[in-house]
């Protein structure tokens, strides 16, 4: 498990379903839109109860609060304008909190129904600081870095035991030199590794000697993780029949790809429950705020749930493989889950990139957000 502890360096301191997985159950109700009462899919309720320790009533209430927060977040960001500094769901109240840098923005945001918190640094300032760090060369002991919107600072995650090595110390000193925002160093037990796996049998798709998981259906195919394939490699389904080929791919830098399908495979707007929970419908891709519950589906560990952590996370997978713009979560994942679906309520969130730890003793994961993937390839999500 990636338990963390923090220490400050001072005031100026550092910081799928393809088509074709036949037999998926599709619920009859497809009238839900964000902002209305959420559709409480059995898959989500069961997994939230198991992984977050909730009762059924608490899971239903949580989904309702998060659907409302997603509907409010876009309007709140627009109201905040240049004073926007991030947003999250308060764990105690379930309400959306928007960080802003001015009193005028506070009033504007509160008129949308969101709560506010005054901070010093805007989202633009945080993004500028992250961009400066992204220009640096990170050693293996530095796992990731991101803007912690609740702390209004930059966080750098360092693998335990490497905090005082010459390479990590030099990186942190250089990080401090390239930007002046507060920077917090957090130690984590393990670094992220990509979640692909060799062929070990079971669903969902294969390319070469690698098994990965399908993310979400798009018109013409499906999206998945970029590190799972190469070039225009052929892709084979769970039954080893030809599905199609990689049609676009980003790795490293990004970690996403799309596969153009044919050969009798078709797309459906469903995320599989792998026999553990009911399959879930996909009705859109509205981005959920930090703190929202999220579940993921993969061919190794099935349904696992957690909460959304930091966004715009830069992850160092080692050997020069650095990926920008990801989101971390407390949902566990293991080898073979790469490329699989992350969903919040009935809204697609992204595809699995990597994980630390495992689903037996505890772990965490990172995913690449879905909307930038759709935009990169000009794709349209298949929705119910």
């Amino acid at each position: 498990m990636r338990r963390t502890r923090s220490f400050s360096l001072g005031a100026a301191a550092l910081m799928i379903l393809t088509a074709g997985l036949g037999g998926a159950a599709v619920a009859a109700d497809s009238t839900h839109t964000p902002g209305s009462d959420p559709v409480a899919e059995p898959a989500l309720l069961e997994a939230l109860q198991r992984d977050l320790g909730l009762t059924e009533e608490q899971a239903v209430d949580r989904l309702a609060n998060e659907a409302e927060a997603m509907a409010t977040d876009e309007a709140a960001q627009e109201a905040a304008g240049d004073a926007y500094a991030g947003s999250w769901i308060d764990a105690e109240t379930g309400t959306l909190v928007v960080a802003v840098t001015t009193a005028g923005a506070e009033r504007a945001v509160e008129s949308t129904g969101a709560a506010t918190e005054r901070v010093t640094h805007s989202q633009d300032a945080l993004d500028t600081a992250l961009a400066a760090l992204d220009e640096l060369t990170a050693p293996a002991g530095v796992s990731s870095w991101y803007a912690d919107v609740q702390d209004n600072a930059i966080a750098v995650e360092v693998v335990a035991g490497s905090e005082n090595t010459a390479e990590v110390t030099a990186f942190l000193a250089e990080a401090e030199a390239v930007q002046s925002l507060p920077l917090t160093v957090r130690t984590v037990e393990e670094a992220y590794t990509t979640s692909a796996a060799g062929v070990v049998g079971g669903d969902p798709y294969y390319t070469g000697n690698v098994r990965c998981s399908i993310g979400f259906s798009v018109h013409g195919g499906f999206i998945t993780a970029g590190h799972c394939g190469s070039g225009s490699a052929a892709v084979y389904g769970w039954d080893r029949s030809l599905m199609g080929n990689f049609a676009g791919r980003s790795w490293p830098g990004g970690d996403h790809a799309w596969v153009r399908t044919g050969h009798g495979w078709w797309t459906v707007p469903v995320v599989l429950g792998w026999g553990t929970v009911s399959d879930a419908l996909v009705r859109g891709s509205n981005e959920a705020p930090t703190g929202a519950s999220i579940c993921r589906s993969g061919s190794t560990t099935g349904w696992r749930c957690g909460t959304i952590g930091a966004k715009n996370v830069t992850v160092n997978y080692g050997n020069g493989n650095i990926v920008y713009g990801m989101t971390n979560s407390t949902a566990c994942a293991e080898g073979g889950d790469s490329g699989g679906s992350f969903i919040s309520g009935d809204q697609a969130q992204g595809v699995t990139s990597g994980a630390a730890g495992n689903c037996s003793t505890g772990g965490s994961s990172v995913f690449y957000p879905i909307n930038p993937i759709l935009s990169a390839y000009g794709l349209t999500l298949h929705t119910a």
Side-chain angles (χ1 to χ4, degrees), residues 91-370:
E92 297 297 323
T93 65
T95 58
L96 179 70
V97 181
V98 179
V100 294
T101 59
T102 67
E106 279 184 311
R107 292 189 292 271
V109 168
E110 287 168 359
S111 71
T112 71
T116 58
E117 183 172 309
R118 281 286 291 279
V119 296
T120 303
H121 308 290
S122 69
Q123 185 70 62
D124 286 344
L126 293 171
D127 289 344
T128 298
L130 282 176
L133 294 188
D134 287 345
E135 294 296 317
L136 305 182
T137 300
V142 177
S143 175
S144 68
W145 53 93
Y146 53 88
D148 186 327
V149 294
Q150 291 176 267
D151 284 351
N152 196 228
I154 304 299
V156 175
E157 293 188 337
V158 175
V159 180
S162 62
E163 304 97 318
N164 299 318
T165 63
E167 295 82 3
V168 169
T169 300
F171 175 84
L172 295 176
E174 192 174 5
E176 183 180 32
V178 298
Q179 49 86 28
S180 59
L181 267 64
L183 194 153
T184 300
V185 178
R186 295 172 177 164
T187 56
V188 296
E189 292 184 351
E190 299 178 59
Y192 289 116
T193 58
T194 54
S195 299
V199 176
V200 295
D203 294 327
Y205 79 87
Y206 302 85
T207 178
N209 65 345
V210 171
R211 170 173 61 86
C212 278
S213 300
I214 293 168
F216 292 94
S217 286
V218 296
H219 291 286
F222 65 85
I223 59 172
T224 186
H227 71 262
C228 289
S230 61
S232 57
V235 172
Y236 299 86
W238 62 271
D239 60 355
R240 299 307 183 113
S241 68
L242 180 64
M243 299 178 71
N245 297 80
F246 279 89
R249 174 178 176 266
S250 175
W251 170 263
D255 191 8
H256 51 79
W258 86 281
V259 173
R260 183 182 287 113
T261 57
H263 312 284
W265 293 78
W266 64 93
T267 61
V268 289
V270 175
V271 173
L272 288 180
W274 303 107
T276 302
V277 294
S278 304
D279 299 334
L281 285 173
V282 178
R283 291 191 170 90
S285 59
N286 289 320
E287 183 178 341
T290 292
S293 60
I294 195 166
C295 296
R296 47 152 296 277
S297 177
S299 60
T300 299
T301 61
W303 271 95
R304 301 289 173 167
C305 296
T307 56
I308 296 174
K311 300 183 180 185
N312 200 15
V313 179
T314 299
V315 173
N316 178 21
Y317 284 125
N319 299 316
N321 294 320
I322 295 180
V323 180
Y324 310 100
M326 292 208 286
T327 299
N328 63 29
S329 84
T330 59
C332 67
E334 296 181 9
D337 286 328
S338 276
S341 322
F342 268 87
I343 188 167
S344 185
D346 55 16
Q347 301 295 302
Q349 298 298 309
V351 299
T352 305
S353 174
N358 57 59
C359 292
S360 296
T361 60
S364 60
S365 58
V366 284
F367 65 89
Y368 202 94
I370 188 170

Side-chain angles (χ1 to χ4, degrees), residues 26-72:
V26 180
D29 179 10
S30 60
T31 60
H32 173 65
T33 55
S36 65
D37 290 338
V39 176
E41 300 287 353
L44 295 176
L45 293 177
E46 293 169 24
L48 287 173
Q49 291 174 74
R50 179 194 66 201
D51 292 343
L52 297 184
L54 305 176
T55 66
E56 182 176 0
E57 182 179 5
Q58 288 171 329
V60 170
D61 288 345
R62 180 161 189 146
L63 289 177
N65 290 336
E66 291 170 356
E68 182 177 352
M70 277 190 270
T72 303

